Amino acid sequence: MEMPKIDAAIVARKPAIVAALQEVLPPDAVIFDEAEVRAYECDALTAYRCPPLAAVLPRSTAEVSAVLRICHQMGVPVVPRGAGTSLAGGALPTGDCVILGVARMNAVLETDYPNRFIRVQSGRTNLSVTGAVEADGFFYAPDPSSQLACAIAGNIAMNSGGAHCLKYGVTTNNLLGVTLVQMDGTVLEIGGAHLDAPGLDLLGVICGSEGQLGVVTEAVLRILPKPEGARPVLMGFDSNEVAGECVSDIIKAGILPVAIEFMDRPCIEATEAFAKAGYPMCEALLIVEVEGSKAEIDEQLALIIEIAKRHNPVELREAADEDQAKRIWLGRKSAFGAMGQINDYMCLDGTIPVSSLPYVLRRIGEMSREYGLAVGNVFHAGDGNMHPLILFDANKPGDLELCEAFGADVLKLCVEVGGCLTGEHGVGIEKRDLMKVQFALEDMEAQMWVKDVFDPKWLLNPAKVFPLDVTASRRAL
Amino acid sequence: MKPANELELAEAIRAATGPVRIVGGGTRRVGPPPAGALLETGGLAGISLYEPGALTLVAAAGTPLAEVEAVLAEGGQRLPFEVPDLRGLLGREGVSTIGGVVAANASGPRRIQAGACRDSLIGVRFVDGAGTIVKNGGRVMKNVTGYDLVKLMAGSCGTLGVLTEVAFKVLPRPEAEATLTRGGLDPVAAVAAMSQALGSPFEVTGAAYVAGQVRLRMEGMAGSVAYRQGALAKLLGAGWDVVEAAQSAALWQEIRDVTPFVGQPGAVWRLSVKPSDMPQVLALLTEAQTLCDWGGGLIWARVPDAGDAQAASLRGLLAQIGGHASLLRASAEVLATVPALHPEAPGVAALTRGLRAKFDPRGLFSAQE
Ligand SMILES: Cc1cc2nc3c(=O)[nH]c(=O)nc-3n(C[C@H](O)[C@H](O)[C@H](O)COP(=O)(O)OP(=O)(O)OC[C@H]3O[C@@H](n4cnc5c(N)ncnc54)[C@H](O)[C@@H]3O)c2cc1C
């Protein structure tokens, strides 16, 4: 993956930049030692690394504003960072940038149950937002699998999803307001505890902008009352087509499960070997979960099971108790880990219309044979967000490149059938050069206008999202 | 101008020499029309894709809302956000189009549970002020590829471009609904009851307060609605009545369309606040008729149509407690001194100006209401 040439003039000014930052931050908040900055050289896309010029760890909106004002004045690019779990290289530094990490800003600022929101500093981890309200019967709905580690800041920047978004939506549907610091240091309040301000929906475009429009320091998040209970059912089918039809029939019947997860045979086999969840050996497996009181769950599951039976399942297993429910989820939750046991893997994230599921899975199977790389599929079937895991050997020369080429072909296929390159992980550097597959230049131009307005000098995370040749003239400003 | 397709529309925009006024199916003001050459989108009509199993619908922007709703109903589904019909309230006539709904981000009582129009919108195509066709989002419900201009276009009231196509995530139409009602509640008691209900696990899909009566709606499978209605009544204590099926639906249509104000004189405000601030706002509105939705967060107020229609006191209070107030209906004299839209903070206003200048460099769309 190509990155812009490091600006030697900026690197040469490192001592002056560090000194200016030290003037506005406490000593332990400015990291510039060459060994220490290595801690920030990559995110979860570990194939790509580059130590930044320096890293700062502010504790307040005012400190963030002071840092940005300095970098703006001195013309230094800034890459915001939450917990560094991006799978797309969103938080990957360049050698001439300052990493602005919000990890120390993790306080809960306000919890308001009558109005059902929580206000937090953006460095707070996703799971600990729920943790702050759970005892009172509430939760924060978006639940990326990385929720123990990832920060709300990164969730907002990537518009992250989770297993339960079929019912609850993704980050953007649960975000009420942000405090945003612009590159020149201006602090803005956008949205808040009330709903839907008139005028342009700036909050909507800030969410998912991958740290390119401003640094989010605080967020107002919608919290929801916890459902009385939840219960999954597991079903196995002897073909992907039939499993796909079953998903479609469940949705058409008017039921909205909180989750419909799909695993194919390679993934089931890997998972069984690793986690021993007792899954049936079949071509395709669905986990469907519904919520509510016991009676409501019974009502919905009866209907779902009736539909499933019409598709001749090879296995149909309803969780009778909490323990069985855990076992049903165990395999799904260990799927990534299980694939990781076999080899290194690359996790794709394209979305397809659910009706194309059988065709896309068949094509991925064919490509897998052509490329000679194994692939397992595990994904959110209700919304068509696929997660093909391509296995490769990082130590084998050429294997990463082969895997990337395979991945690119899969994503092109997703676009071809009417879907998109990324459903929840973001573009980052990983899918940057594929943007031209999904968008015409005019489409990207309209998106870049937004950055032109928020960050006229293109200093915030400038090497991401759009192909480098497309942004070259803007970044040169 | 009434272009028959997207290309013609783009051509018309490129050829435009002065402000254009975008009209969907023509829900228009009764009275003299505002300035600008008329650009009708009604020629861009038709549902191009409806996949019930994928919960998706794609339609040309000029498609009548009624057609979209009818097609969805046949598939046992609906638009999640309960589109209000404010023609009566605003004294307009004509047919609402789906593009107009999106441009206004029009969202009804279910907004608190299923989200606003912008939350269901998954894709758009539009023509910008230079006459360029732009697409964003698509037809899949999970999509973070590039910036989310879909949200930016929803509620932009045509100031950034002319929508030509919109795509939605839709939801199943539930088989049953029921509403708990209780009258004789003052604003403080009302907001407490609504908050308690919305903070319960019983999935309340509407919480409104009108003429002293609180209404709490539940929707879903029949058994589930029966269960939740009982459980919620028990939680809230004595004094609640149950209204079911069509009668329940009628109660919500009244809230959605602000029916109690229709045909009544006066200026009409639409305020959005934190629900618990509702009693404080109502305390200012002593001479007004009011109707509250969204658990108390959305306040409709009909005030005497004179002076500043209470703009100074309302906006003064909101400056302290947060929220916004828009004047949806008022006489020309009032509107001459009171900005209809809530004034934006300077930093936000600067971004808005910047975006409008980029998307509409010639200011063609500045005449939008
Ligand atoms: C094992 C694993 C499982 C995962 N599962 C999921 C999943 O189920 N669903 C899902 O959606 N994602 C998933 N992810 C991806 C990742 O966790 C999410 O993208 C997450 O939101 C990133 O958060 P972060 O705090 O780690 O952000 P980082 O990686 O630090 O940064 C991500 C992006 O956010 C920007 N950013 C960070 N902080 C700010 C700020 N304060 N202001 C503005 N921009 C900022 C960065 O510049 C970068 O572009 C997974 C990742 C891993 C490793």
Side-chain angles (χ1 to χ4, degrees):
Chain A
M1 213 69 66
E2 190 199 344
M3 286 303 273
K5 232 176 76 214
I6 293 175
D7 187 334
I10 295 176
V11 177
R13 280 186 289 137
K14 176 170 174 175
I17 295 165
V18 169
L21 293 170
Q22 281 170 328
E23 256 176 54
V24 296
L25 293 177
D28 71 335
V30 185
I31 294 153
F32 56 93
D33 177 82
E34 263 176 49
E36 286 175 41
V37 292
R38 286 214 170 271
Y40 302 94
E41 69 182 1
C42 69
D43 54 25
L45 184 69
T46 51
Y48 296 92
R49 294 162 195 266
C50 173
L53 190 73
V56 293
L57 300 171
R59 283 197 165 81
S60 67
T61 300
E63 285 184 359
V64 170
S65 168
V67 166
L68 289 175
R69 206 174 309 119
I70 288 168
C71 292
H72 185 249
Q73 270 162 14
M74 303 183 90
V76 184
V78 171
V79 175
R81 182 181 170 103
T85 68
S86 169
L87 290 166
L92 177 74
T94 48
D96 51 13
C97 88
V98 169
I99 284 278
L100 192 163
V102 292
R104 286 183 180 169
M105 300 176 57
N106 57 10
V108 172
L109 302 169
E110 190 182 356
T111 353
D112 185 332
Y113 296 121
N115 294 307
R116 298 167 299 285
F117 73 84
I118 183 169
R119 198 158 60 85
V120 298
Q121 283 187 310
S122 66
R124 192 166 182 89
T125 60
N126 174 294
L127 194 62
S128 70
V129 171
T130 288
V133 295
E134 198 168 33
D136 298 299
F138 284 80
F139 73 111
Y140 174 61
D143 57 343
S145 324
S146 52
Q147 67 182 154
L148 187 64
C150 66
I152 290 299
N155 292 177
I156 293 171
M158 293 313 202
N159 190 13
S160 301
H164 295 84
C165 51
L166 186 57
K167 177 166 178 192
Y168 295 113
V170 295
T171 303
T172 191
N173 312 112
N174 293 276
L175 178 68
L176 299 172
V178 292
T179 302
L180 182 86
V181 188
Q182 286 180 265
M183 188 64 212
D184 65 3
T186 306
V187 179
L188 296 176
E189 297 294 335
I190 309 219
H194 57 274
L195 295 171
D196 302 339
L200 297 180
D201 186 359
L202 300 181
L203 188 62
V205 76
I206 288 165
C207 189
S209 62
E210 306 204 12
Q212 293 196 307
L213 300 186
V215 175
V216 172
T217 56
E218 293 176 13
V220 182
L221 308 170
R222 181 170 82 131
I223 51 173
L224 296 171
K226 265 197 297 203
E228 289 181 86
R231 201 189 309 154
V233 52
L234 177 149
M235 30 187 123
F237 297 94
D238 53 20
S239 83
N240 290 329
E241 276 87 350
V242 177
E245 279 165 22
C246 185
V247 170
S248 171
D249 284 352
I250 291 172
I251 290 173
K252 273 192 278 192
I255 312 164
L256 194 68
V258 273
I260 307 182
E261 297 290 302
F262 189 119
M263 285 168 79
D264 69 356
R265 179 182 274 278
C267 205
I268 300 168
E269 282 172 358
T271 303
E272 261 315 288
F274 177 67
K276 307 202 172 37
Y279 282 1
M281 280 302 147
C282 55
E283 291 308 312
L285 183 153
L286 294 178
I287 298 172
V288 182
E289 181 160 274
V290 297
E291 285 180 351
S293 66
K294 187 179 173 307
E296 289 175 281
I297 290 175
D298 288 344
E299 188 184 19
Q300 294 177 73
L301 283 188
L303 197 56
I304 289 171
I305 287 169
E306 189 195 309
I307 293 167
K309 280 188 178 154
R310 276 189 244 143
H311 295 278
N312 302 315
V314 297
E315 174 94 19
L316 200 53
R317 199 184 292 168
E318 191 179 341
D321 54 34
E322 193 61 27
D323 205 51
Q324 288 184 13
K326 278 215 179 85
R327 287 197 73 75
I328 287 183
W329 275 111
L330 175 69
R332 167 64 185 88
K333 291 198 167 154
S334 19
F336 283 38
M339 297 295 280
Q341 286 286 304
I342 304 178
N343 220 331
D344 301 303
Y345 68 79
M346 183 167 124
C347 172
L348 302 180
D349 171 47
T351 306
I352 55 165
V354 265
S355 45
S356 326
L357 204 66
Y359 169 71
V360 170
L361 288 177
R362 200 166 56 239
R363 283 289 298 130
I364 291 177
E366 287 163 14
M367 288 184 212
S368 163
R369 284 187 290 279
E370 285 159 24
Y371 276 97
L373 293 175
V375 56
N377 283 289
V378 45
F379 57 92
H380 317 301
D383 51 36
N385 190 190
M386 319 243 327
H387 286 316
L389 302 171
I390 306 177
L391 297 178
F392 70 103
D393 182 353
N395 294 320
K396 189 170 150 195
D399 233 27
L400 171 65
E401 289 72 21
L402 195 64
C403 174
E404 285 182 341
F406 181 4
D409 278 351
V410 171
L411 295 184
K412 285 178 195 160
L413 174 65
C414 290
V415 174
E416 194 185 296
V417 298
C420 65
L421 300 172
T422 169
E424 57 181 16
H425 293 170
V427 178
I429 56 156
E430 195 204 14
K431 280 147 286 198
R432 193 184 59 194
D433 298 322
L434 287 170
M435 286 285 277
K436 289 179 190 170
V437 176
Q438 187 171 332
F439 293 114
L441 275 178
E442 303 85 79
D443 302 331
M444 286 188 274
E445 183 69 22
Q447 296 175 36
M448 291 187 296
W449 288 338
V450 179
K451 183 159 175 65
D452 292 340
V453 170
F454 276 79
D455 174 25
K457 291 189 179 173
W458 276 65
L459 286 170
L460 267 171
N461 215 5
K464 312 289 167 66
V465 184
F466 306 102
L468 289 181
D469 60 333
V470 171
T471 57
S473 63
R474 289 172 151 98
R475 282 181 293 110
L477 284 180
Chain B
M1 290 178 283
K2 191 170 179 180
N5 56 47
E6 193 178 56
L7 283 174
E8 277 186 32
L9 195 148
E11 187 49 46
I13 297 288
R14 273 197 295 274
T17 51
V20 294
R21 194 161 48 85
I22 309 160
V23 181
T27 58
R28 55 192 149 258
R29 283 194 169 178
V30 179
L38 202 66
L39 178 69
E40 289 178 76
T41 63
L44 281 73
I47 293 165
S48 53
L49 178 123
Y50 174 39
E51 260 184 40
L55 298 171
T56 24
L57 178 135
V58 183
T63 311
L65 170 65
E67 185 181 329
V68 171
E69 288 183 327
V71 165
L72 286 173
E74 239 169 78
Q77 299 181 334
R78 65 181 179 189
L79 292 170
F81 49 94
E82 208 172 0
V83 187
D85 180 355
L86 300 181
R87 284 175 297 180
L89 178 74
L90 301 179
R92 294 177 187 202
E93 49 197 25
V95 179
S96 301
T97 60
I98 194 69
V101 167
V102 169
N105 189 29
S107 317
R110 204 174 296 109
R111 195 265 172 262
I112 45 170
Q113 192 253 350
C117 172
R118 54 90 91 177
D119 293 292
S120 295
L121 191 69
I122 55 177
V124 292
R125 295 176 65 91
F126 63 93
V127 176
D128 71 14
T132 307
I133 298 168
V134 178
K135 66 169 184 301
N136 194 262
R139 55 164 290 199
V140 289
M141 62 176 94
K142 271 181 77 187
N143 184 349
V144 298
T145 322
Y147 293 172
D148 195 349
L149 302 185
V150 172
K151 300 277 182 308
L152 196 62
M153 292 306 292
S156 65
C157 294
T159 56
L160 300 181
V162 187
L163 289 164
T164 56
E165 184 182 273
V166 288
F168 294 98
K169 170 190 176 180
V170 299
L171 282 183
R173 175 178 289 277
E175 68 181 15
E177 74 165 89
T179 299
L180 290 181
T181 66
R182 182 175 168 177
L185 294 174
D186 67 28
V188 173
V191 85
M194 290 191 284
S195 286
Q196 195 181 5
L198 289 166
S200 79
F202 307 124
E203 286 198 65
V204 171
T205 69
Y209 175 55
V210 57
Q213 185 189 61
V214 167
R215 299 175 182 175
L216 302 166
R217 177 178 63 185
M218 278 138 286
E219 300 170 287
M221 293 170 76
S224 165
V225 169
Y227 162 76
R228 282 184 282 147
Q229 155 214 311
L232 183 60
K234 203 162 130 199
L235 177 76
L236 295 173
W240 294 82
D241 297 320
V242 184
V243 182
E244 286 177 312
Q247 280 165 315
S248 164
L251 290 182
W252 290 98
Q253 187 171 343
E254 192 177 272
I255 301 293
R256 188 192 74 185
D257 301 344
V258 206
T259 319
F261 292 11
V262 173
Q264 306 288 328
V268 173
W269 285 97
R270 182 179 184 277
L271 301 104
S272 177
V273 296
K274 204 161 68 182
S276 61
D277 288 335
M278 176 266 271
Q280 218 180 327
V281 177
L282 291 204
L284 273 187
L285 293 162
T286 44
E287 282 176 75
Q289 179 187 17
T290 58
L291 180 151
C292 304
D293 195 359
W294 298 357
L298 177 66
I299 302 167
W300 294 94
R302 189 171 64 81
V303 302
D305 197 358
D308 77 343
Q310 272 193 266
S313 61
L314 285 172
R315 286 184 173 154
L317 175 64
L318 296 193
Q320 294 161 35
I321 63 174
H324 53 82
S326 303
L327 192 53
L328 256 67
R329 187 182 90 186
S331 62
E333 296 80 71
V334 170
L335 285 169
T337 56
V338 178
L341 290 187
H342 196 85
E344 289 180 325
V348 172
L351 291 173
T352 300
R353 267 197 313 278
L355 289 169
R356 286 177 65 162
K358 287 281 182 188
F359 282 78
D360 177 24
R362 292 181 292 159
L364 296 185
F365 307 138
S366 53
Q368 306 316 312
E369 290 166 24

